[in-house]
Amino acid sequence: MSDDMESRKETGSGAGVDATGLFGATVDCTEAVHELYHYLDGELTEERREEIRIHLDWCGPCNGAAEFEAELRRVIANRCKDRVPQSLIERVAAAIDEESRQHHGKH
């Protein structure tokens, strides 16, 4: 096994970029993929988000996965915009108003 591969094995970094010397704490591909949805949803701390972003900036395969997932989310969001018919909105509003009137009339 090469020294580089042995070094990655010892530091726990898998395939991808090992930028420990450049950026301090690094994220390996396994971590980046595992936290990708949290990253895209904005659910990470600023520090962790920055660590993942740095990895994505330097790792083509992980960056490609992140871009694919982000685009997939945009497509789904744009295609799945169900419109509620105005008549249904009006019927529900009327039912709520009627229920409210009956409830207030009983007290």
Side-chain angles (χ1 to χ4, degrees):
M1 189 178 300
S2 73
D3 288 340
D4 185 48
M5 291 294 285
E6 188 64 33
S7 172
R8 285 185 180 184
K9 185 176 180 183
E10 289 172 6
T11 60
S13 62
V17 175
D18 181 8
T20 304
L22 296 172
F23 303 109
T26 61
V27 175
D28 67 22
C29 294
T30 302
E31 290 177 280
V33 170
H34 179 74
E35 296 195 45
L36 183 58
Y37 294 103
H38 299 294
Y39 175 84
L40 293 172
D41 291 338
E43 297 174 348
L44 301 175
T45 64
E46 281 299 315
E47 180 181 347
R48 188 62 175 163
R49 184 169 178 75
E50 182 67 6
E51 292 169 352
I52 300 291
R53 186 196 60 75
I54 289 169
H55 178 86
L56 295 177
D57 285 350
W58 287 91
C59 181
C62 289
N63 187 24
E67 288 178 358
F68 174 82
E69 291 297 332
E71 180 64 20
L72 180 61
R73 286 174 175 218
R74 283 190 290 275
V75 168
I76 290 171
N78 288 331
R79 301 277 169 108
C80 296
K81 291 181 180 176
D82 291 333
R83 298 272 184 199
V84 177
Q86 187 62 32
S87 61
L88 177 58
I89 294 171
E90 291 168 0
R91 287 190 341 226
V92 170
I96 291 170
D97 287 343
E98 181 62 29
E99 182 67 27
S100 179
R101 278 194 293 274
Q102 289 179 3
H103 179 70
H104 290 299
K106 291 183 178 182
H107 292 299

